[in-house]
Amino acid sequence: SPTPSPRSPSTTTAAPPVDARAAASLAVREGRVVAPAGDNAFEWYLSVREAQPDNTDAVVALIDLMPIADQAARYALESGDVAEATRIVDLMARYDAQSETTKAARGRMQDWERDQARQEQAARAAAIVPPPNPLPVPSQAAAPAQQVAAVRGPDQDRAFAWCARQGAVTWR
């Protein structure tokens, strides 16, 4: 059997299915299940299936590779490689967009995007709102009532509450 050509499966729609099957088998043996992009078992088997939709070998191989692709997408996402995770999930959807595995992977991607949006929103909000002014640290020299006189603005109620706990002021 001839050695598979180095061309990408996504650009070989007219390529003979025998070459794509051989390339896919070689990629599996070499551990290239979903990476590198363009030269991996999943994409080669997809090209076989797209050229021959009834090819049971390609369909069975893709069914076997789906959980591995799912794990690779999960790992890429957890590692922060969103582009790679998206690429892999898109490959899974190209095979079967309605499978539970693909739907779960898409859900994880959406959850990650929502979490990122929340984190960015919280970071923007934290950058806009200054932190509250801390109460002055009580010194041994100043009495609680004198400390209250030095506090102005929104911290005044907190200062009065502190002084009340010290027994220096009473609430009316």
Side-chain angles (χ1 to χ4, degrees):
S1 146
T3 303
S5 66
R7 63 186 180 270
S8 165
S10 60
T11 61
T12 60
T13 54
V18 174
D19 290 343
R21 278 195 304 265
S25 294
L26 178 62
V28 168
R29 285 193 305 274
E30 292 178 353
R32 294 180 287 116
V33 176
V34 292
D39 187 20
N40 60 70
F42 205 95
E43 288 183 68
W44 284 112
Y45 280 122
L46 276 174
S47 70
V48 171
R49 180 175 164 262
E50 288 164 356
Q52 297 178 338
D54 295 331
N55 186 309
T56 56
D57 291 337
V59 172
V60 168
L62 287 165
I63 290 169
D64 290 344
L65 294 177
M66 280 290 278
I68 299 168
D70 183 44
Q71 287 290 36
R74 181 177 296 168
Y75 177 77
L77 189 60
E78 290 171 357
S79 299
D81 193 347
V82 181
E84 179 68 357
T86 301
R87 184 188 70 79
I88 296 168
V89 172
D90 288 346
L91 287 175
M92 294 167 61
R94 214 170 112 194
Y95 168 61
D96 185 356
Q98 299 306 312
S99 79
E100 293 303 315
T101 304
T102 303
K103 288 178 183 178
R106 285 257 187 246
R108 277 193 304 279
M109 295 290 296
Q110 291 168 349
D111 290 346
W112 184 89
E113 290 167 356
R114 272 193 298 275
D115 289 345
Q116 290 302 306
R118 280 189 210 118
Q119 289 175 8
E120 289 170 10
Q121 184 179 15
R124 282 192 305 274
I128 294 171
V129 178
N133 293 331
L135 286 176
V137 176
S139 68
Q140 297 300 325
Q146 293 169 329
Q147 292 172 3
V148 169
V151 176
R152 301 284 184 258
D155 292 330
Q156 191 171 12
D157 287 341
R158 290 187 0 212
F160 274 106
W162 180 83
C163 288
R165 286 191 303 272
Q166 302 300 315
V169 294
T170 58
W171 295 99
R172 292 182 184 197

